[in-house]
Amino acid sequence: MQAVSKARLQIHFCVLLWGFTAILGKLISLPALPLVWWRVLLVTAALLLMPRVWRGLRAMPARLRWAYAGIGVLVSLHWLTFYAAIKLANASVGATCMALGPVFLAFVEPWIARRKFDPREMLIGVAVVPGVVMVVGGVPAGMRMGIAVGVVCALLVALFSAFNKRMVEHGDPLTITCIELGAGTVFLGLLAPLLPHAGPAFVLPDMHDALLLLALSFGCTLLPFALALVALRHLSAFGVQMVTNLEPVYAIVLAVLLLDEQRQLDGWFYAGVAVILAAVFAHPLLHRKRGEPEQPELLAVAESHNIVE
């Protein structure tokens, strides 16, 4: 098999694994806070077993380590709101809200990257509004708080994606991931006492949850991250972006097949999803039309947002 064809299959497999993160989040019975705490702890512990990570930590200036730690706080809040949205609604709603990340990025990145705002990017945000209205109208009233939390989650993913884009060239990808997730582990542990309704961060999972947490941490986080880094050697950033934008589609299809969620949602929800995804796919097409360089980008920690803008 040619290297490019193999790389495309690898990226699709990665996106499929990322799609399972929403499914596992719904199946794990732990509340959102301990679920995320265990996930970041397990991934950080695995990365600290790699000599390459320790070499990267020793070589990195303290100022950069603190900068990545700050981004890690945003990462942990993103994952916390992502799984909170799934718990408050369902996996389909959580995945759909995640699809809003590139839309928020179109507004957030010019501010963080200190570049001129392109009015054409505003069209993406305007195009999404009808889709969001249809999604809200297509879910039961009891799930709408989940949508609100999911929108916050998408804003957070846009923020840490933009900050990571500025910092990507200053360290080894695995080392950056370790710092960010390690900082997230500490932050969530300190945050837990301030959120008494969320419960403590350390909750010992039962065997069922423990197995699912292992699958989430290693099968849906470290494995696709490693495969995607290899695939990026043979694919353009634009090509990878178009594939990773399919993550909400994979997640919703999996939720229908495995969780039977279509019984909870009506046609307006799926029509809204189609509108949102159309805007999301238009975003990289707009950048390509402008002739911007295609630079692979590490976004070390958020499912399909791990790899490119």
Side-chain angles (χ1 to χ4, degrees), residues 22 43 50-51 59 79 81 91 101 126 129 154 163 176 178 190 214 225 236 238 262 275 300:
V43 176
M50 300 180 183
W79 270 353
T81 50
V126 173
V129 172
F163 281 117
I176 295 171
C178 183
L190 296 174
L214 289 173
F225 182 53
S236 70
F238 176 82
Q262 76 277 8
V275 172

Side-chain angles (χ1 to χ4, degrees), residues 61-275:
R63 178 182 60 84
L64 278 180
R65 290 199 294 268
W66 281 109
Y68 287 124
I71 296 173
V73 170
L74 291 176
V75 170
S76 63
L77 289 172
H78 153 67
W79 270 353
L80 182 61
T81 50
F82 175 60
Y83 289 109
I86 291 172
K87 300 292 184 181
L88 290 168
N90 61 25
S92 297
V93 169
T96 300
C97 292
M98 276 285 290
L100 294 171
V103 179
F104 280 117
L105 189 63
F107 293 91
V108 169
E109 187 188 349
W111 167 59
I112 293 176
R114 298 186 181 90
R115 67 170 173 82
K116 186 178 179 180
F117 178 76
D118 189 334
R120 288 176 294 180
E121 293 186 336
M122 186 177 295
L123 295 176
I124 298 172
V126 173
V128 162
V129 172
V132 173
V133 172
M134 285 188 282
V135 164
V136 172
V139 304
M143 290 188 179
R144 289 174 185 171
M145 180 57 72
I147 293 177
V149 175
V151 171
V152 175
C153 162
L155 175 60
L156 288 167
V157 79
L159 286 171
F160 82 70
S161 297
F163 281 117
N164 258 352
K165 184 174 182 178
R166 286 186 60 182
M167 306 285 294
V168 64
E169 297 179 353
H170 301 296
D172 170 70
L174 290 176
T175 302
I176 295 171
T177 302
C178 183
I179 294 171
E180 291 184 353
L181 296 190
T185 305
V186 174
F187 173 73
L188 290 177
L190 296 174
L191 180 66
L194 304 178
L195 301 174
H197 61 282
F202 181 79
V203 176
L204 194 64
D206 59 23
M207 183 59 68
H208 173 266
D209 283 346
L211 292 175
L212 293 180
L213 281 167
L214 289 173
L216 178 64
S217 301
F218 301 122
C220 298
T221 305
L222 282 179
L223 175 60
F225 182 53
L227 289 175
L229 287 178
V230 174
L232 271 172
R233 299 172 186 171
H234 305 287
L235 298 174
S236 70
F238 176 82
V240 175
Q241 175 71 70
M242 297 305 285
V243 176
T244 56
N245 281 343
L246 289 170
E247 184 193 342
V249 178
Y250 280 112
I252 292 170
V253 170
L254 289 170
V256 169
L257 294 176
L258 300 178
L259 303 177
D260 206 22
E261 288 190 353
Q262 76 277 8
R263 298 179 183 275
Q264 301 172 301
L265 309 166
D266 65 22
W268 283 108
F269 173 83
Y270 294 104
V273 170
V275 172

Side-chain angles (χ1 to χ4, degrees), residues 30-54:
L30 291 176
L33 182 61
L35 188 162
V36 176
W37 187 81
W38 277 108
R39 184 184 186 185
V40 293
L41 175 67
L42 289 170
V43 176
T44 303
L47 290 172
L48 287 173
L49 296 176
M50 300 180 183
R52 168 180 169 178
V53 170
W54 286 102

